[in-house]
Amino acid sequence: MNLDVRLIQVNERLVKHKLLVGVADALETCTGNTQLCFVYWDMSRCLRSLTDAIEEHSSDVQNKLKRKMAHLMLVSEGNADAHVEPGWEEHRPLLRAEGEAGCRRPTGLGETPTNASLLPEASLPAQTKACQLLMTYSSVYVKLLVSRRLSGPSHHRLRPVRNHCTTAPFCLCQYIKKKILQ
């Protein structure tokens, strides 16, 4: 789940281009094969559907979110005492500049890990909560979708009930409703 949590920021940017990314691990001939998978995904219908579901069950949604998401934290290293401008990590380069040695900067004195909860705040509007949930679970969903471990609705019905999603057996918003809001 740690890598999936790290991909939240990536998916927040890619969703503007109707793309989602996830990391799929495959085992081939006793060798691990990690793949970065991109999926075309229009989030607008999922956002509407999940917003409606949150508004419909507004009385108990926050309790369900706390119960299912309280353990999800984003841990980052940083100096707790220094004043940091908001959004500074957005502009930090992913790769080190040429000439910088080492893979990782050693943690110095005064630097402490900071925790940020992925649980949406209770005071947020339903659409903002829905957007946060969609981003939080997007990379997990992509991983399950491309590895075909995403179980969809039963095909034994005479007329299966289809949602707004036509490209997958089980939509991202349905996945969140099933795993988090039920």
Side-chain angles (χ1 to χ4, degrees):
M1 181 69 179
N2 189 29
L3 188 56
D4 296 321
V5 170
R6 300 284 180 189
L7 288 175
I8 292 171
Q9 276 188 319
V10 176
N11 281 332
E12 285 175 342
R13 287 166 181 76
L14 288 177
V15 76
K16 297 172 190 169
H17 306 286
K18 297 184 180 180
L19 289 173
L20 293 176
V21 67
V23 174
D25 296 326
L27 187 63
E28 295 177 11
T29 62
C30 298
T31 306
N33 185 11
T34 304
Q35 299 173 345
L36 191 61
C37 302
F38 292 86
V39 175
Y40 177 82
W41 199 270
D42 185 2
M43 196 71 76
S44 60
R45 290 182 178 177
C46 285
L47 182 60
R48 277 194 301 269
S49 176
L50 193 56
T51 301
D52 292 345
I54 291 172
E55 287 173 346
E56 185 178 311
H57 301 97
S58 62
S59 59
D60 61 337
V61 164
Q62 199 62 30
N63 289 333
K64 289 179 181 179
L65 291 175
K66 281 181 186 177
R67 192 171 58 245
K68 304 263 176 110
M69 294 181 66
H71 65 283
L72 296 178
M73 300 291 255
L74 180 61
V75 180
S76 61
E77 292 179 4
N79 189 339
D81 298 327
H83 171 69
V84 178
E85 192 175 312
W88 70 275
E89 286 185 342
E90 267 184 41
H91 303 292
R92 185 181 66 195
L94 294 175
L95 301 175
R96 293 187 176 276
E98 195 171 308
E100 286 187 35
C103 295
R104 187 173 174 205
R105 184 173 50 101
T107 305
L109 294 176
E111 288 190 8
T112 57
T114 56
N115 296 336
S117 176
L118 295 178
L119 177 68
E121 293 181 22
S123 61
L124 293 174
Q127 185 172 7
T128 306
K129 284 182 188 179
C131 187
Q132 283 186 4
L133 288 171
L134 289 167
M135 291 299 101
T136 300
Y137 288 96
S138 59
S139 65
V140 174
Y141 178 80
V142 169
K143 178 188 348 183
L144 294 172
L145 181 66
V146 298
S147 64
R148 297 182 185 183
R149 290 184 285 164
L150 195 61
S151 59
S154 173
H155 296 288
H156 298 292
R157 297 181 191 161
L158 293 175
R159 288 185 178 183
V161 179
R162 290 295 294 176
N163 60 344
H164 56 266
C165 177
T166 58
T167 58
F170 203 57
C171 189
L172 175 56
C173 60
Q174 284 181 317
Y175 175 77
I176 293 170
K177 289 175 194 175
K178 180 181 177 186
K179 294 292 182 182
I180 305 300
L181 299 180
Q182 281 186 351

